[in-house]
Amino acid sequence: MADYGLSHIIYLWNPSIRMLDLLLATPSTDEDTRSVIGLAYNSQNNDFKILRLLSFFWGQEAEAEAEIYSLSTDSWRNVVITMESLRGYEPNFGTIGQFDPPCIIFNGALHSVAITNRHRFILSFNVNDESFHEIMLPPNDLDGVHVCCTELAVFKGSLAVFIYTDDHWGVLCHIWVMEEYGVAESWIRKYMVPTILNSHFYGCTDNGELLIKTATGLVSIDPESRNQSILAIEDADWVGCTANSMESLILLDGGK
């Protein structure tokens, strides 16, 4: 758990054993610093890791860094992420200037949308070997349509991208699914779902329903039938994100 304004203050919480641990990452002195945080399990080493993606803005220049925390060693280390390290020297793609939340776990890797001054792609972080990779986003067939935002999700067991557009037809959610993980040619647009302006997407249920916060509260939407159900949560203003929960007896002290 972390606050966007104080993202260097992170709490690890295991609700199964009611244990809470405070972690302190590197604080930033730049008010324009942005961060995205993800948590994952390293199955090879029986370890939990936190990935903290940082963007630093100085005028027109930007550089991206990552901080990686290991629970087993109770330590952080820094990595600089460049386009050259991902794909070799290609000056037309610029430098990474921004990461968009959320940072989701899928197929043993954490994923976040990365943005350069000329390019948008999915940055994946393999938890086991701590390597970064580039995954191309779906082809841009929305030229001339205003894109409100792009969000990653796990949709029915596959990596998915939710692209929200706003035009004279209203706000549409385009759901793209990657049928073969890591293969950009396998992106397929499954659904286009009408939604509400200023609504906020939080994630998917296991059966593929969309969890969206509207002015009246949290609702679930079936993208196939487009049926909506109001969830029995009176006040959803506290919601920051959603994730699957699995009980664990893991201690938060690195085994000490």
Side-chain angles (χ1 to χ4, degrees), residues 78-142:
N78 291 74
V79 178
V80 176
I81 308 171
T82 64
M83 290 304 298
E84 289 80 5
S85 65
L86 294 173
R87 55 159 56 196
Y89 182 66
E90 294 188 33
N92 291 333
F93 286 101
T95 58
I96 302 174
Q98 182 180 340
F99 298 101
D100 281 350
C103 188
I104 65 169
I105 180 69
F106 179 75
N107 201 41
L110 289 163
H111 303 77
S112 183
V113 174
I115 303 171
T116 75
N117 53 346
R118 300 181 183 90
H119 185 46
R120 296 169 65 92
F121 63 96
I122 299 172
L123 179 72
S124 71
F125 171 72
N126 186 301
V127 179
N128 288 328
D129 63 12
E130 296 191 353
S131 60
F132 290 92
H133 303 277
E134 176 192 19
I135 299 176
M136 300 297 290
L137 284 165
N140 184 13
D141 64 350
L142 299 173

Side-chain angles (χ1 to χ4, degrees), residues 188-208:
I188 182 171
R189 185 165 58 181
K190 290 281 191 180
Y191 305 102
M192 288 188 294
V193 182
T195 185
I196 304 170
L197 189 65
N198 296 325
S199 61
H200 190 92
F201 169 73
Y202 285 113
C204 299
T205 63
D206 288 341
N207 62 0

Side-chain angles (χ1 to χ4, degrees), residues 231-249:
L231 302 181
I233 300 176
E234 294 182 0
D235 186 357
D237 289 340
W238 51 269
V239 176
C241 64
T242 62
N244 289 337
S245 176
M246 180 180 295
E247 289 190 353
S248 169
L249 299 180

Side-chain angles (χ1 to χ4, degrees), residues 126-188:
N126 186 301
V127 179
N128 288 328
D129 63 12
E130 296 191 353
S131 60
F132 290 92
H133 303 277
E134 176 192 19
I135 299 176
M136 300 297 290
L137 284 165
N140 184 13
D141 64 350
L142 299 173
D143 290 336
V145 179
H146 178 244
V147 176
C148 303
C149 64
T150 302
E151 301 216 39
L152 297 180
V154 177
F155 181 79
K156 292 186 177 181
S158 296
L159 184 66
V161 175
F162 290 64
I163 301 175
Y164 289 84
T165 62
D166 181 15
D167 59 13
H168 62 281
W169 297 105
V171 180
L172 287 176
C173 174
H174 305 254
I175 302 177
W176 288 81
V177 175
M178 178 172 269
E179 296 194 317
E180 185 177 352
Y181 179 71
V183 179
E185 292 77 16
S186 71
W187 284 113
I188 182 171

